[in-house]
Short mmCIF file of all heavy atoms in Angstrom, two decimals:
data_model
loop_
_atom_site.label_atom_id
_atom_site.label_comp_id
_atom_site.label_asym_id
_atom_site.label_seq_id
_atom_site.Cartn_x
_atom_site.Cartn_y
_atom_site.Cartn_z
N MET A 95 58.42 -70.20 -177.63
CA MET A 95 58.59 -70.65 -176.30
C MET A 95 59.67 -69.75 -175.58
O MET A 95 60.68 -69.40 -176.12
CB MET A 95 59.07 -72.07 -176.25
CG MET A 95 59.20 -72.61 -174.89
SD MET A 95 59.51 -74.43 -175.01
CE MET A 95 59.84 -74.79 -173.34
N LYS A 96 59.32 -69.32 -174.38
CA LYS A 96 60.16 -68.50 -173.58
C LYS A 96 61.35 -69.25 -172.99
O LYS A 96 61.27 -70.33 -172.57
CB LYS A 96 59.39 -67.82 -172.47
CG LYS A 96 58.37 -66.81 -172.92
CD LYS A 96 57.69 -66.12 -171.75
CE LYS A 96 56.70 -65.14 -172.31
NZ LYS A 96 56.16 -64.30 -171.23
N ASN A 97 62.50 -68.57 -172.98
CA ASN A 97 63.67 -69.14 -172.25
C ASN A 97 63.48 -68.75 -170.83
O ASN A 97 63.29 -67.68 -170.41
CB ASN A 97 65.01 -68.39 -172.77
CG ASN A 97 65.27 -68.79 -174.24
OD1 ASN A 97 65.34 -69.93 -174.61
ND2 ASN A 97 65.42 -67.75 -175.05
N LYS A 98 63.63 -69.86 -170.01
CA LYS A 98 63.52 -69.66 -168.53
C LYS A 98 64.90 -69.33 -167.98
O LYS A 98 65.90 -69.94 -168.26
CB LYS A 98 63.02 -70.92 -167.83
CG LYS A 98 61.54 -71.21 -167.97
CD LYS A 98 61.14 -72.32 -167.08
CE LYS A 98 59.62 -72.50 -167.22
NZ LYS A 98 59.14 -73.64 -166.44
N ILE A 99 64.89 -68.28 -167.16
CA ILE A 99 66.02 -67.93 -166.45
C ILE A 99 65.89 -68.27 -164.93
O ILE A 99 65.06 -67.62 -164.27
CB ILE A 99 66.31 -66.38 -166.58
CG1 ILE A 99 66.43 -66.03 -168.04
CG2 ILE A 99 67.55 -66.00 -165.81
CD1 ILE A 99 66.42 -64.51 -168.28
N ASN A 100 66.44 -69.42 -164.58
CA ASN A 100 66.26 -69.91 -163.22
C ASN A 100 67.38 -69.33 -162.37
O ASN A 100 68.53 -69.55 -162.62
CB ASN A 100 66.26 -71.46 -163.20
CG ASN A 100 65.03 -72.02 -163.80
OD1 ASN A 100 63.90 -71.56 -163.57
ND2 ASN A 100 65.24 -72.99 -164.70
N VAL A 101 67.00 -68.63 -161.27
CA VAL A 101 67.95 -67.97 -160.42
C VAL A 101 67.67 -68.44 -159.00
O VAL A 101 66.48 -68.42 -158.56
CB VAL A 101 67.89 -66.43 -160.57
CG1 VAL A 101 68.82 -65.77 -159.56
CG2 VAL A 101 68.16 -66.02 -161.97
N LEU A 102 68.74 -68.76 -158.26
CA LEU A 102 68.65 -69.11 -156.86
C LEU A 102 69.41 -68.05 -156.06
O LEU A 102 70.53 -67.63 -156.39
CB LEU A 102 69.29 -70.46 -156.67
CG LEU A 102 69.50 -70.89 -155.18
CD1 LEU A 102 68.17 -71.05 -154.50
CD2 LEU A 102 70.30 -72.26 -155.19
N VAL A 103 68.77 -67.60 -154.96
CA VAL A 103 69.44 -66.72 -153.98
C VAL A 103 69.35 -67.36 -152.65
O VAL A 103 68.29 -67.66 -152.20
CB VAL A 103 68.68 -65.30 -153.98
CG1 VAL A 103 69.33 -64.44 -152.80
CG2 VAL A 103 68.78 -64.62 -155.31
N ILE A 104 70.54 -67.57 -152.07
CA ILE A 104 70.56 -68.09 -150.69
C ILE A 104 71.33 -67.05 -149.80
O ILE A 104 72.49 -66.80 -149.99
CB ILE A 104 71.28 -69.41 -150.54
CG1 ILE A 104 70.59 -70.48 -151.49
CG2 ILE A 104 71.30 -69.94 -149.14
CD1 ILE A 104 71.20 -71.84 -151.51
N GLU A 105 70.57 -66.43 -148.92
CA GLU A 105 71.11 -65.31 -148.10
C GLU A 105 70.38 -65.45 -146.72
O GLU A 105 69.17 -65.38 -146.72
CB GLU A 105 70.81 -63.98 -148.75
CG GLU A 105 71.04 -62.80 -147.91
CD GLU A 105 72.41 -62.67 -147.35
OE1 GLU A 105 73.34 -62.46 -148.14
OE2 GLU A 105 72.54 -62.62 -146.11
N ASP A 106 71.14 -65.63 -145.69
CA ASP A 106 70.52 -65.83 -144.35
C ASP A 106 69.92 -64.56 -143.79
O ASP A 106 69.08 -64.62 -142.90
CB ASP A 106 71.52 -66.47 -143.41
CG ASP A 106 72.69 -65.63 -143.12
OD1 ASP A 106 73.16 -64.87 -143.98
OD2 ASP A 106 73.30 -65.84 -142.02
N ASN A 107 70.23 -63.42 -144.30
CA ASN A 107 69.66 -62.14 -143.85
C ASN A 107 68.54 -61.83 -144.77
O ASN A 107 68.66 -61.59 -145.98
CB ASN A 107 70.70 -61.01 -143.91
CG ASN A 107 70.13 -59.71 -143.44
OD1 ASN A 107 69.19 -59.16 -144.05
ND2 ASN A 107 70.79 -59.13 -142.49
N GLU A 108 67.30 -61.92 -144.23
CA GLU A 108 66.09 -61.71 -145.06
C GLU A 108 66.03 -60.42 -145.83
O GLU A 108 65.68 -60.36 -146.93
CB GLU A 108 64.83 -61.94 -144.21
CG GLU A 108 63.57 -61.95 -145.01
CD GLU A 108 62.33 -62.29 -144.21
OE1 GLU A 108 62.46 -62.58 -142.98
OE2 GLU A 108 61.22 -62.11 -144.73
N TYR A 109 66.44 -59.38 -145.08
CA TYR A 109 66.40 -58.04 -145.71
C TYR A 109 67.36 -57.97 -146.91
O TYR A 109 66.96 -57.57 -148.01
CB TYR A 109 66.81 -56.96 -144.70
CG TYR A 109 66.96 -55.59 -145.31
CD1 TYR A 109 65.87 -54.82 -145.61
CD2 TYR A 109 68.24 -55.12 -145.63
CE1 TYR A 109 66.00 -53.56 -146.24
CE2 TYR A 109 68.38 -53.87 -146.28
CZ TYR A 109 67.30 -53.13 -146.56
OH TYR A 109 67.44 -51.93 -147.16
N TYR A 110 68.60 -58.47 -146.70
CA TYR A 110 69.56 -58.42 -147.81
C TYR A 110 69.19 -59.35 -148.92
O TYR A 110 69.41 -59.03 -150.10
CB TYR A 110 70.97 -58.71 -147.29
CG TYR A 110 72.05 -58.28 -148.24
CD1 TYR A 110 72.46 -56.94 -148.19
CD2 TYR A 110 72.56 -59.13 -149.20
CE1 TYR A 110 73.41 -56.53 -149.12
CE2 TYR A 110 73.47 -58.68 -150.16
CZ TYR A 110 73.90 -57.34 -150.10
OH TYR A 110 74.86 -56.86 -151.00
N GLY A 111 68.59 -60.47 -148.53
CA GLY A 111 68.11 -61.41 -149.64
C GLY A 111 67.04 -60.76 -150.47
O GLY A 111 67.06 -60.91 -151.69
N ASN A 112 66.16 -60.02 -149.87
CA ASN A 112 65.04 -59.37 -150.63
C ASN A 112 65.67 -58.22 -151.49
O ASN A 112 65.21 -58.08 -152.64
CB ASN A 112 64.03 -58.79 -149.70
CG ASN A 112 63.15 -59.87 -149.06
OD1 ASN A 112 62.99 -60.93 -149.67
ND2 ASN A 112 62.61 -59.59 -147.92
N LEU A 113 66.60 -57.53 -150.93
CA LEU A 113 67.32 -56.46 -151.68
C LEU A 113 68.01 -57.04 -152.93
O LEU A 113 67.85 -56.51 -154.01
CB LEU A 113 68.34 -55.80 -150.80
CG LEU A 113 69.09 -54.59 -151.35
CD1 LEU A 113 68.12 -53.42 -151.57
CD2 LEU A 113 70.22 -54.19 -150.42
N LEU A 114 68.65 -58.13 -152.75
CA LEU A 114 69.37 -58.82 -153.83
C LEU A 114 68.35 -59.33 -154.90
O LEU A 114 68.57 -59.13 -156.07
CB LEU A 114 70.23 -59.95 -153.31
CG LEU A 114 71.19 -60.63 -154.24
CD1 LEU A 114 72.09 -59.69 -154.89
CD2 LEU A 114 71.99 -61.67 -153.42
N ALA A 115 67.36 -59.99 -154.39
CA ALA A 115 66.29 -60.54 -155.32
C ALA A 115 65.65 -59.42 -156.16
O ALA A 115 65.46 -59.55 -157.33
CB ALA A 115 65.25 -61.27 -154.56
N ASN A 116 65.38 -58.28 -155.53
CA ASN A 116 64.76 -57.14 -156.22
C ASN A 116 65.73 -56.53 -157.27
O ASN A 116 65.33 -56.21 -158.46
CB ASN A 116 64.39 -56.00 -155.26
CG ASN A 116 63.07 -56.41 -154.52
OD1 ASN A 116 62.32 -57.25 -154.93
ND2 ASN A 116 62.94 -55.83 -153.31
N ALA A 117 67.01 -56.47 -156.85
CA ALA A 117 67.99 -55.97 -157.86
C ALA A 117 68.10 -56.89 -159.08
O ALA A 117 68.24 -56.39 -160.22
CB ALA A 117 69.38 -55.84 -157.19
N ILE A 118 68.09 -58.16 -158.79
CA ILE A 118 68.20 -59.13 -159.92
C ILE A 118 66.91 -59.03 -160.81
O ILE A 118 67.10 -58.95 -162.08
CB ILE A 118 68.29 -60.60 -159.30
CG1 ILE A 118 69.69 -60.80 -158.74
CG2 ILE A 118 67.99 -61.64 -160.36
CD1 ILE A 118 69.85 -61.98 -157.88
N GLN A 119 65.74 -58.95 -160.24
CA GLN A 119 64.55 -58.77 -161.01
C GLN A 119 64.63 -57.47 -161.87
O GLN A 119 64.28 -57.54 -163.06
CB GLN A 119 63.26 -58.75 -160.13
CG GLN A 119 62.89 -60.12 -159.60
CD GLN A 119 61.79 -60.02 -158.58
OE1 GLN A 119 61.70 -59.11 -157.71
NE2 GLN A 119 60.82 -60.95 -158.72
N ASN A 120 64.99 -56.44 -161.27
CA ASN A 120 65.04 -55.14 -161.98
C ASN A 120 66.08 -55.22 -163.09
O ASN A 120 65.88 -54.56 -164.17
CB ASN A 120 65.38 -54.01 -161.03
CG ASN A 120 64.18 -53.69 -160.15
OD1 ASN A 120 63.05 -53.94 -160.47
ND2 ASN A 120 64.49 -53.08 -158.96
N SER A 121 67.16 -55.93 -162.89
CA SER A 121 68.27 -55.96 -163.87
C SER A 121 67.74 -56.76 -165.17
O SER A 121 68.24 -56.58 -166.28
CB SER A 121 69.49 -56.62 -163.41
OG SER A 121 69.37 -57.96 -163.21
N LEU A 122 66.76 -57.61 -164.98
CA LEU A 122 66.27 -58.45 -166.03
C LEU A 122 65.05 -57.81 -166.75
O LEU A 122 64.63 -58.37 -167.79
CB LEU A 122 65.92 -59.82 -165.55
CG LEU A 122 67.11 -60.62 -165.04
CD1 LEU A 122 66.62 -61.96 -164.66
CD2 LEU A 122 68.23 -60.68 -166.04
N ILE A 123 64.62 -56.70 -166.33
CA ILE A 123 63.40 -56.09 -167.00
C ILE A 123 63.59 -55.92 -168.50
O ILE A 123 62.73 -56.29 -169.24
CB ILE A 123 63.03 -54.77 -166.25
CG1 ILE A 123 62.36 -55.13 -164.94
CG2 ILE A 123 62.02 -53.98 -167.16
CD1 ILE A 123 62.12 -53.86 -164.05
N PRO A 124 64.74 -55.40 -168.94
CA PRO A 124 64.87 -55.25 -170.41
C PRO A 124 64.70 -56.57 -171.19
O PRO A 124 64.23 -56.61 -172.28
CB PRO A 124 66.34 -54.72 -170.51
CG PRO A 124 66.59 -54.07 -169.25
CD PRO A 124 65.90 -54.91 -168.25
N PHE A 125 65.21 -57.65 -170.61
CA PHE A 125 65.06 -58.98 -171.25
C PHE A 125 63.60 -59.52 -171.15
O PHE A 125 63.07 -60.05 -172.13
CB PHE A 125 65.95 -60.03 -170.59
CG PHE A 125 67.41 -59.77 -170.79
CD1 PHE A 125 68.21 -59.31 -169.75
CD2 PHE A 125 68.04 -60.01 -172.00
CE1 PHE A 125 69.52 -59.04 -169.91
CE2 PHE A 125 69.33 -59.72 -172.18
CZ PHE A 125 70.13 -59.30 -171.15
N LEU A 126 63.03 -59.32 -169.97
CA LEU A 126 61.70 -59.79 -169.73
C LEU A 126 60.61 -59.06 -170.64
O LEU A 126 59.66 -59.67 -171.10
CB LEU A 126 61.24 -59.73 -168.30
CG LEU A 126 62.14 -60.56 -167.32
CD1 LEU A 126 61.87 -60.22 -165.89
CD2 LEU A 126 62.17 -61.98 -167.63
N GLU A 127 60.88 -57.81 -170.85
CA GLU A 127 59.92 -56.94 -171.62
C GLU A 127 59.90 -57.39 -173.12
O GLU A 127 58.98 -57.13 -173.82
CB GLU A 127 60.33 -55.50 -171.54
CG GLU A 127 59.95 -54.89 -170.21
CD GLU A 127 60.28 -53.43 -170.07
OE1 GLU A 127 61.12 -52.93 -170.85
OE2 GLU A 127 59.72 -52.79 -169.19
N ARG A 128 60.95 -58.01 -173.57
CA ARG A 128 61.00 -58.51 -174.92
C ARG A 128 59.99 -59.61 -175.14
O ARG A 128 59.62 -59.98 -176.25
CB ARG A 128 62.40 -59.05 -175.28
CG ARG A 128 63.42 -58.00 -175.33
CD ARG A 128 64.78 -58.66 -175.54
NE ARG A 128 65.86 -57.68 -175.54
CZ ARG A 128 66.94 -57.76 -176.18
NH1 ARG A 128 67.20 -58.86 -176.90
NH2 ARG A 128 67.85 -56.75 -176.22
N GLY A 129 59.67 -60.35 -174.10
CA GLY A 129 58.75 -61.44 -174.17
C GLY A 129 59.40 -62.78 -174.46
O GLY A 129 58.68 -63.83 -174.57
N ASP A 130 60.70 -62.85 -174.70
CA ASP A 130 61.37 -64.08 -174.95
C ASP A 130 61.88 -64.79 -173.74
O ASP A 130 62.32 -65.97 -173.84
CB ASP A 130 62.60 -63.85 -175.88
CG ASP A 130 62.20 -63.26 -177.23
OD1 ASP A 130 61.05 -63.51 -177.66
OD2 ASP A 130 63.02 -62.57 -177.85
N PHE A 131 61.83 -64.09 -172.58
CA PHE A 131 62.38 -64.70 -171.36
C PHE A 131 61.39 -64.69 -170.27
O PHE A 131 60.54 -63.85 -170.12
CB PHE A 131 63.61 -63.83 -170.94
CG PHE A 131 64.81 -64.03 -171.92
CD1 PHE A 131 64.88 -62.99 -172.89
CD2 PHE A 131 65.64 -65.02 -171.88
CE1 PHE A 131 65.92 -63.06 -173.82
CE2 PHE A 131 66.71 -65.08 -172.80
CZ PHE A 131 66.89 -64.14 -173.78
N GLN A 132 61.57 -65.62 -169.34
CA GLN A 132 60.74 -65.71 -168.14
C GLN A 132 61.72 -65.94 -166.98
O GLN A 132 62.54 -66.85 -167.01
CB GLN A 132 59.80 -66.94 -168.27
CG GLN A 132 58.99 -67.16 -166.95
CD GLN A 132 58.13 -68.42 -167.11
OE1 GLN A 132 58.20 -69.13 -168.11
NE2 GLN A 132 57.44 -68.72 -166.03
#
Side-chain angles (χ1 to χ4, degrees):
M95 184 170 170
K96 292 185 179 187
N97 293 306
K98 282 189 181 178
I99 303 167
N100 290 315
V101 177
L102 171 65
V103 174
I104 302 178
E105 167 60 62
D106 61 334
N107 179 302
E108 187 174 355
Y109 173 79
Y110 198 84
N112 288 335
L113 184 68
L114 188 56
N116 287 336
I118 288 167
Q119 287 176 314
N120 287 336
S121 74
L122 294 183
I123 288 173
F125 294 107
L126 300 175
E127 286 179 342
R128 294 176 180 207
D130 298 334
F131 295 94
Q132 174 187 2

